[in-house]
Amino acid sequence: TDQGFSSIHKYLGFVIFLFCVGTWWKACFTDPGIVTKQNVEDLCEFYKWDEQIFTAQMCQTCNLMKPARSKHCSLCNVCVAKFDHHCIWINSCVGVGNHKY
């Protein structure tokens, strides 16, 4: 029984490793929620300004209206909706599109 128990650990460890690599891969290649001319109106409607913390303003670099909770990433040179941070492990921003990974 010891031999069967150790093989379960070996395969279970490999499955967990594949899951972790798959999640990392998904986070790396999923759009973080880049604000573009095509989606800025929808994002501004979805992420409304509260006029206390988040006020309507233009991004000085992108020249687009910034939805609430969006920031311009100086490393990626794009505005990201619901910006959290720029992650060096995935070499991308973490935003509304890939925050769950």
Side-chain angles (χ1 to χ4, degrees):
T1 62
D2 288 341
Q3 185 66 19
F5 189 67
S6 64
S7 65
I8 289 173
H9 278 109
K10 182 172 36 175
Y11 294 119
L12 183 62
F14 185 68
V15 168
I16 291 171
F17 171 76
L18 286 179
F19 176 76
C20 291
V21 169
T23 303
W24 172 78
W25 188 265
K26 187 81 168 158
C28 288
F29 292 101
T30 301
D31 176 27
I34 295 173
V35 179
T36 63
K37 291 179 183 176
Q38 291 78 23
N39 67 2
V40 67
E41 289 181 20
D42 293 334
L43 289 171
C44 287
E45 185 67 30
F46 192 73
Y47 297 107
K48 297 183 187 258
W49 304 286
D50 61 5
E51 300 303 331
Q52 293 177 11
I53 297 175
F54 304 109
T55 58
Q57 55 183 314
M58 296 286 286
C59 174
Q60 300 295 326
T61 308
C62 296
N63 292 323
L64 293 171
M65 186 62 82
K66 288 173 55 174
R69 299 192 66 193
S70 68
K71 300 281 188 282
H72 187 87
C73 178
S74 60
L75 296 172
C76 295
N77 199 29
V78 292
C79 279
V80 178
K82 204 173 174 187
F83 181 82
D84 190 344
H85 66 283
H86 184 90
C87 181
I88 60 170
W89 300 107
I90 64 172
N91 194 29
S92 181
C93 293
V94 176
V96 68
N98 61 357
H99 192 266
K100 59 187 165 197
Y101 304 115

